[in-house]
Amino acid sequence: MTTTETRARAQAPADRLPGAWAVGLQRGALEIRQFFRQRDQVVFTFAFPVVFLFLFASIFQDDVRGSGVTASQLYVPAMMASGIMSTSFQSLGISIAVERDEKVLRRLRGTPMPPAAYFLGKIWLVLFTGILETAILLLVGTTLYGVDLPSDAGRWFDFAWIFVLGLTGCALLGIAVSSLPRSARSASSVVVLPFLVVQFISGVYISIGTIPDWMLNIGALFPLKWLCQGLRGVFLPDSAQVLEQAGSWEFGRIALVLAAWCVGGLALCLLTFRWKTRRDG
């Protein structure tokens, strides 16, 4: 046997191993199946923002002076943004912390699976649930609250990059935050409380005009405020710009902030992510 044939046979098993992308697709399909097997989680995930939209839009129905929109229409893009962050930041922050505490991550790290495949699987899950959540809220908003779909391709393009950048930034932040809880029991409290606070100071539940400037400035440090503003710019008429803190949609600034969160979120993940709990060393 020649040296070339020996090397070829030695490399053959390694060549047959699937790469990170292929394994990531399989992990994503598995994550999606596992998600839909937990019916209570499915119902809560998709119903929560819809129920809150129905409650706030039913309570606040008056026209917003000088904006050309009703208060209920303002809640539609805000709840869409909240739903995107819920299916990415909150979902990953809690689920990864639970998997770490139950030593799932430790076992996966000991397998031949490329580490990137695990995160790709989570990204596929977040993308799938985020699209579905957004579609449900958009359907409710257009049928019940008079929100018009964009009539030009430019607005749909804006929606696409806002959705992708916002989902990516929130997902990376969720992965980084997953290292904070010390146990699976504390994961919900550690993740949900800051998410709830950020929703209030980002214009999800309360109109931007009634929130103190110092709170808005704090909210501007996080992606949710810009995600809300961007989606309002896509689905509301330009007359509603007067309600924003700067009096305009600021699409350029939205792109910069969300892109910065994607880069910063990735850096945080690389610095903070652990496959084992603190108790395991």
Side-chain angles (χ1 to χ4, degrees):
M1 182 181 298
T2 64
T3 304
T4 303
E5 291 175 341
T6 302
R7 290 179 179 175
R9 289 192 178 186
Q11 294 175 355
D15 293 340
R16 287 197 296 267
L17 290 176
W21 180 256
V23 178
L25 287 174
Q26 296 175 0
R27 284 287 310 175
L30 177 62
E31 294 276 0
I32 293 172
R33 287 198 300 269
Q34 290 178 336
F35 172 79
F36 280 99
R37 286 172 182 169
Q38 301 176 14
R39 296 183 180 179
D40 53 344
Q41 181 183 5
V42 173
V43 172
F44 179 82
T45 299
F46 294 121
F48 186 83
V50 175
V51 170
F52 267 66
L53 172 60
F54 176 76
L55 289 174
F56 281 99
S58 299
I59 296 171
F60 304 101
Q61 301 178 3
D62 297 335
D63 294 339
V64 182
R65 183 179 300 177
S67 66
V69 297
T70 63
S72 57
Q73 290 174 326
L74 277 175
Y75 279 111
V76 175
M79 289 301 173
M80 288 172 60
S82 178
I84 291 172
M85 192 166 184
S86 175
T87 57
S88 53
F89 169 79
Q90 180 174 294
S91 176
L92 292 184
I94 296 174
S95 64
I96 294 177
V98 171
E99 289 177 355
R100 181 184 293 111
D101 190 58
E102 294 178 348
K103 295 182 172 51
V104 174
L105 296 186
R106 188 174 182 178
R107 291 194 295 270
L108 289 175
R109 191 68 179 93
T111 67
M113 182 189 74
Y118 172 78
F119 300 103
L120 286 173
K122 293 295 185 183
I123 289 173
W124 284 117
L125 172 63
V126 166
L127 181 62
F128 183 85
T129 54
I131 291 175
L132 189 55
E133 180 81 271
T134 302
I136 292 172
L137 288 167
L138 192 56
L139 177 63
V140 173
T142 54
T143 55
L144 297 181
Y145 303 114
V147 173
D148 296 325
L149 294 176
S151 57
D152 61 283
R155 284 295 173 90
W156 282 113
F157 175 74
D158 290 335
F159 170 71
W161 64 258
I162 291 170
F163 177 85
V164 171
L165 289 180
L167 188 75
T168 303
C170 292
L172 291 171
L173 183 58
I175 295 172
V177 167
S178 71
S179 297
L180 293 179
R182 293 183 175 273
S183 66
R185 292 182 179 181
S186 64
S188 295
S189 301
V190 172
V191 175
V192 173
L193 179 59
F195 177 42
L196 184 62
V197 173
V198 169
Q199 288 179 89
F200 272 98
I201 64 176
S202 298
V204 174
Y205 300 132
I206 302 175
S207 174
I208 290 291
T210 59
I211 302 176
D213 286 340
W214 67 270
M215 284 190 179
L216 289 176
N217 293 334
I218 295 175
L221 299 175
F222 301 96
L224 183 57
K225 186 265 184 185
W226 302 99
L227 192 53
C228 290
Q229 184 171 320
L231 292 179
R232 284 194 293 265
V234 170
F235 293 105
L236 298 182
D238 288 337
S239 58
Q241 294 183 83
V242 297
L243 301 176
E244 300 299 333
Q245 189 178 18
S248 64
W249 298 131
E250 299 182 289
F251 282 122
R253 179 172 292 183
I254 292 171
L256 289 175
V257 174
L258 293 181
W261 263 109
C262 291
V263 176
L266 179 59
L268 284 175
C269 290
L270 295 175
L271 291 173
T272 63
F273 185 81
R274 302 188 313 274
W275 293 93
K276 298 185 294 183
T277 64
R278 295 184 180 94
R279 297 188 303 271
D280 297 328

